[in-house]
Structures are given as structure tokens and as C-alpha cells.
Amino acid sequence: MATVVVPDRLTSHVAAGHPWLYVNAVPAIPGARTGEFVTLLGQGRRPIGQALFDADSPIALRVLSTRKDETPGPALWHRRVDQALSLRRSVLDLRHTDCFRLLHGEGDRLPGVVVDHYAGFLVLKLDTPAWLPHLEQLCDALEHHVRPRGIFFKGISGEHEAPRNLRGDEPPEHILVREHGMRLAVDVRRGQKTGLFLDQRENRALVRQVARDRRVLNLFSYTGGFSLAAALGGATHVTSVDLARGAIDGARHNFSANDLDPTAHSFVTADAFEHLAACAAARELFDLVIVDPPSFAPRKQALRAAEAAYTKLNAAAIRQVRPGGLVACASCSSHVPMDLFLQILRESARTARRALRVLEIRQEPGDHPTPLHFPEGRYLKFVLALAE
Ligand code: SAH
């Protein structure tokens, strides 16, 4: 097996659980190919761990294990999947929720592997082609522990790897799942990410709790997760806005699936910024505005522009909140840490000339664990506030 000497300043980070080594931070590994395992060596060439090599990514090595009794291979994949499943069984109420993240890559110590569970169907997505040679073994472990109806491969982030069924039944066009009892149709083939934004589950439940008797505006609604939660929680009227027509059609369909009358609510295919401008022009106010945009800072270089865009968006959203109403603001950019997001919200509130009182601040839920030593892995921020 190939080896690489890890610089002294990084060995303690690896030991503490940081799962990545950047290509610039380690010596070249002659002859190593994408997908091969590499032994990490510390001081005195003592082995300190095992990693998966990617010849083409800035993240050259993803740490698979730092324990002597763990070597990469089928037994380790089994152990990781087994542990991941036990964690979900303990943090989720699986009687009312059958959609969740089963493997959250780095957080489940299978860095680069994401597996979402939708009512018995697994959808697998990779961050790196380095896992391709091990895909069959991963599927074996998943089949053994989860006994899924099927395993569908959604591809590799940033690469053109054709989606395909790997095991068992092909997923139906719409998988009907339940989230805290709420019904959602998931299109794993055409949907964004693996089909649903599972990371907002507990925040949708929170919105359900506070939505009674409110007129709600849900911006970036996708297939209506927050909208449904609000309507089921007793909102009098919900407007869902998304740029993607397919998402809005899905939202309407999801209302019917929950015995809610879609004609009593509004579904708008539009740009959220433009929709907010139209609401401002019409002096239309809401009792709850939800803002859950896609990442404005997919790269660190885009951070400055992203800060300005988040501020503009949240300020415009806060302006449309009736005095005393609520605003729920989220960001899923890993380049915007929580303290920066709170600063952005302060600036947004100042711009809108409104005082916000924070009711709840949240990060990723328990089925999206992150190593404490991996702040880069934290990406979700969600703030519920009262706008005076
Ligand atoms: N809140 C959703 C997830 C939102 S994901 C949930 O709980 O499921 C972000 C969504 O923003 C995507 O559906 C995408 O189609 C939409 N989107 C991207 N840019 C947009 C824009 N400028 N205006 C409105 N929607 C946009």
C-alpha cells in the first residue's frame, strides 16, 4: 500500500478527527491512483491512519480510519453503516419519519459518501470518484444492514456520472415518504440533490408549531416542505415561491397528498427577489416569511458577493413581515459560518429598519452529524426571529 508522510503540524488534526488532507499540504504520492488506499505516516514514520486517494481533487486524501484495528475494506464499511443506522434509530422517531440521511459522509466517517433513505429506497451520491472502485462493497454493506428495496446511484458531485440503479427495485417516479407524519412525494431522478432537503426536517417541524393563524410567504419553497408544514400547522394561507416550475408543481401535488386544498393557497413560479419587490410594491405583508435560498457562496472567492446578496434578500424579506410577525432565515453555504450569518441578519434588519428578536437558532440535525474538528463540514444555519 502507498504511504505518505503527514507534516507534523497536521498529525494532531488527523488524530482529532479532521477528515481531509489537501494536495498542497502533503508530499506527492508517486504511482498512487484515484481510489487507492494510502497509509498516513506520522513522526518516525509511525502509521497514524488510512485514507482514500483522489489524484484530481484539491482534497487529495480523505481519512477513513485512525485506529490500528480498522483497515479499509468490506469489514470497515459494514461497521460504519451499522453504526450510522444505530445513530439514526436513536435520534429519529422512525414511526413518523421514513426519510432521513443514513450516511453523512465525513460525519459518519465514510468521507465523500452520502446516502439518503426514502421509504425503503436508498439514494447514494459521491463527492469523489475515488469511491467508485468500492461501490459494490458499499452496496453489499448497505444491503446487509438496511435491507432496502433498492439502491439508486445519483452520481458524483461536479462530474457527469450517469445516474443508475445499482441494486434491487428501480425507484418509482415518485416515492411517497413521511416526515413527522407529513407526506411528501420525492422524485429521486429529477429532483435536486438526492430528492429532498432532509436537513431542514426539524426546522419544518418548528414552522409547523408556530404557523397557526398566520399568512405565510415561503421563498425558495422547492417542493413545498415548509409550506406544507405551515399549512398543516394551521396557517390561513401559504404562498410558495420557487424559480423551478417542476418544484412548484410538486408543491401543489404535495398539498393534495396531505388533504390540503391547493386552490386555497398560492403557488408562484418566480424569482424570489422579484417576487419580494412585487410584494413591496403592493404593500403585501405576511405573518411569517421563510427564506431558504440555495448557497450564494459555493466557492470561498464568491463570499463577498454572497454576503451582499444574503443581506439584500433578508432585508427585503424582513420588510414584508407584519410588525410583530415572524421571519425564518436559513443559509446552507459552508463558507458562511454561524457568526457571519448572524452578522448578515443584523445588517439585514438594520437595512430594513426593524428590530429582530431571536427565538431559535439551529444547525444540522442529528442525522447530519459533523466531526467537531471539521468546521468546514458545518453548513446549515437557521434562525427564527420576531420582527418588531
Ligand atoms: N426550503 C426547501 C429547500 C430550498 S432549496 C425545502 O425545505 O425543501 C433552494 C430552492 O431555491 C430550489 O428549489 C431552487 O429551485 C430555488 N431557487 C434558486 N434560485 C431561486 C430564485 N432566484 N428565486 C426563487 N427560487 C430559487
Side-chain angles (χ1 to χ4, degrees):
M1 199 188 283
T3 59
V4 66
V5 177
V6 176
D8 283 353
R9 66 191 159 80
L10 296 179
T11 53
S12 65
H13 291 290
V14 171
H18 197 289
W20 292 347
L21 288 165
Y22 283 98
V23 63
N24 301 329
V26 289
I29 313 171
R33 286 194 313 236
T34 295
E36 287 182 5
F37 303 131
V38 173
T39 299
L40 308 176
L41 303 175
Q43 280 171 341
R45 299 185 68 82
R46 191 177 50 83
I48 58 165
Q50 314 269 352
L52 182 64
F53 181 66
D54 185 334
D56 303 306
S57 164
I59 306 164
L61 292 157
R62 290 177 162 86
V63 182
L64 298 168
S65 148
T66 52
R67 285 169 52 159
K68 281 205 186 70
D69 61 344
E70 289 182 344
T71 42
L76 187 60
W77 319 147
H78 272 266
R79 185 170 180 167
R80 296 284 190 256
V81 170
D82 189 30
Q83 288 169 342
L85 191 57
S86 317
L87 175 65
R88 275 54 181 189
R89 286 195 173 118
S90 75
V91 299
L92 299 170
D93 179 359
L94 298 178
R95 287 168 309 169
H96 305 292
T97 297
D98 61 10
C99 51
F100 55 89
R101 177 146 297 187
L102 172 62
L103 288 177
H104 188 53
E106 285 68 8
D108 286 293
R109 291 179 300 155
L110 285 174
V113 181
V114 164
V115 175
D116 286 340
H117 177 284
Y118 294 112
F121 288 94
L122 299 182
V123 182
L124 187 147
K125 203 164 181 284
L126 299 177
D127 293 337
T128 163
W131 276 106
L132 286 179
H134 315 290
L135 205 52
E136 290 304 315
Q137 292 176 359
L138 276 178
C139 286
D140 289 342
L142 289 164
E143 276 201 320
H144 180 85
H145 294 281
V146 187
R147 304 251 162 244
R149 292 170 65 185
I151 305 178
F152 186 78
F153 181 44
K154 189 75 199 256
I156 307 173
S157 315
E159 306 217 0
H160 297 287
E161 180 80 20
R164 57 183 183 268
N165 208 48
L166 296 174
R167 298 278 169 101
D169 296 345
E170 290 265 351
E173 193 180 339
H174 290 108
I175 306 176
L176 201 60
V177 302
R178 287 186 320 140
E179 174 183 284
H180 291 304
M182 178 169 95
R183 292 186 204 105
L184 289 157
V186 187
D187 181 342
V188 301
R189 288 185 194 77
R190 283 174 300 170
Q192 298 184 33
K193 307 279 172 176
T194 64
L196 274 189
F197 294 87
L198 295 166
D199 50 7
Q200 294 280 23
R201 177 183 50 249
E202 303 312 319
N203 302 332
R204 288 188 283 261
L206 176 62
V207 159
R208 184 168 175 164
Q209 249 179 54
V210 300
R212 176 155 300 283
D213 295 334
R214 293 182 191 272
R215 286 190 76 237
V216 178
L217 174 62
N218 180 18
L219 298 167
F220 309 93
S221 67
Y222 189 48
T223 53
F226 279 112
S227 305
L228 290 164
L232 291 170
T236 51
H237 183 270
V238 185
T239 303
S240 306
V241 180
D242 199 285
L243 202 51
R245 178 173 294 278
I248 287 296
D249 291 343
R252 211 182 269 115
H253 175 94
N254 279 330
F255 267 66
S256 304
N258 287 276
D259 303 323
L260 295 162
D261 178 7
T263 62
H265 300 275
S266 304
F267 299 87
V268 186
T269 304
D271 173 81
F273 288 88
E274 285 174 16
H275 189 81
L276 277 170
C279 289
R283 298 219 159 87
E284 189 176 7
L285 299 181
F286 298 86
D287 306 299
L288 166 60
V289 178
I290 300 154
V291 194
D292 182 23
S295 174
F296 291 164
R299 289 167 295 113
K300 200 160 192 161
Q301 294 83 327
L303 190 54
R304 268 292 144 83
E307 272 183 61
Y310 281 124
T311 306
K312 183 174 172 223
L313 173 66
N314 286 299
I318 292 165
R319 281 197 194 97
Q320 297 322 117
V321 178
R322 174 186 58 73
L326 302 176
V327 62
C329 305
S331 155
C332 60
S333 169
S334 58
H335 300 298
V336 177
M338 182 61 90
D339 53 351
L340 176 58
F341 188 57
L342 294 176
Q343 201 178 307
I344 287 170
L345 291 184
R346 279 195 288 275
E347 184 59 24
S348 307
R350 203 184 57 78
T351 308
R353 297 171 189 271
R354 301 285 292 275
L356 291 192
R357 272 192 285 157
V358 175
L359 308 182
E360 192 98 35
I361 296 185
R362 291 178 167 191
Q363 305 194 351
E364 299 83 3
D367 58 335
H368 292 63
T370 2
L372 183 63
H373 260 79
F374 182 49
E376 301 93 318
R378 306 213 86 148
Y379 65 97
L380 188 66
K381 286 81 51 191
F382 178 92
V383 175
L384 178 70
L386 189 148
E388 310 209 37

